[in-house]
């Protein structure tokens, strides 16, 4: 979806300020906004991918605090990724992975983007 991909560019260049684990979902807080992941994302650092439940998942994810989003990759029915210098945070958008009608809710810059 081209227009949604363009809207996501608002995430490029912003600082990740906090990671919040809430019972069965995750929030990534940015300078001025928040992304709520209704499915825990995978985290790739130093050529290794960590999934929710893996040892060190929380620690590796928290290493991104104070990092700047370098770019955003979005491909409908494939994945949504926040790319950083040190790695990436990605969630699969494969239809069989959805528990809810949406996978990520982003509130930033006065906009709400639903993925």
């Amino acid at each position: 979806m081209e227009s949604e991909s363009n809207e996501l560019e608002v995430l490029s260049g912003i600082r990740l300020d906090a990671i919040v684990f809430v019972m069965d979902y995750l929030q990534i807080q940015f300078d001025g906004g928040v992304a709520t992941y209704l499915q825990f994302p995978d985290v790739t650092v130093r050529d290794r991918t960590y999934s929710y439940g893996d040892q060190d998942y929380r620690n590796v994810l928290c290493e991104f605090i104070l990092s700047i989003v370098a770019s955003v990759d979005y491909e409908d029915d494939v994945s949504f990724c926040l790319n950083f210098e040190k790695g990436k945070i990605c969630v699969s958008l494969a239809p069989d992975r959805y528990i809810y009608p949406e996978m990520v809710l982003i509130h930033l810059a006065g906009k709400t983007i639903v993925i």
Side-chain angles (χ1 to χ4, degrees):
M1 211 178 244
E2 186 65 35
S3 64
E4 190 164 292
S5 182
N6 289 340
E7 283 185 316
L8 293 169
E9 288 306 314
V10 71
L11 294 165
S12 294
I14 63 171
R15 184 183 67 229
L16 190 155
D17 289 336
I19 303 288
V20 180
F21 290 88
V22 184
M23 196 137 81
D24 61 350
Y25 64 94
L26 177 88
Q27 287 188 324
I28 296 178
Q29 296 177 357
F30 300 101
D31 184 21
V34 64
T36 300
Y37 286 75
L38 300 174
Q39 182 81 267
F40 285 93
D42 290 333
V43 183
T44 303
V45 208
R46 297 178 287 281
D47 296 324
R48 179 161 179 216
T49 299
Y50 299 83
S51 297
Y52 182 74
D54 290 347
Q55 185 174 355
D56 293 326
Y57 176 81
R58 179 186 56 86
N59 294 335
V60 171
L61 187 56
C62 288
E63 285 181 23
F64 286 87
I65 295 172
L66 298 180
S67 295
I68 305 295
V69 177
S71 64
V72 178
D73 291 329
Y74 170 81
E75 190 173 343
D76 199 25
D77 292 335
V78 177
S79 66
F80 166 65
C81 297
L82 298 177
N83 302 305
F84 300 83
E85 187 176 311
K86 66 178 68 188
K88 61 185 177 179
I89 300 171
C90 294
V91 66
S92 171
L93 300 178
D96 64 337
R97 297 287 307 267
Y98 280 76
I99 297 171
Y100 305 103
E102 56 279 320
M103 192 65 84
V104 183
L105 304 169
I106 301 166
H107 304 282
L108 185 68
K111 293 183 180 182
T112 298
I113 302 169
V114 178
I115 297 176

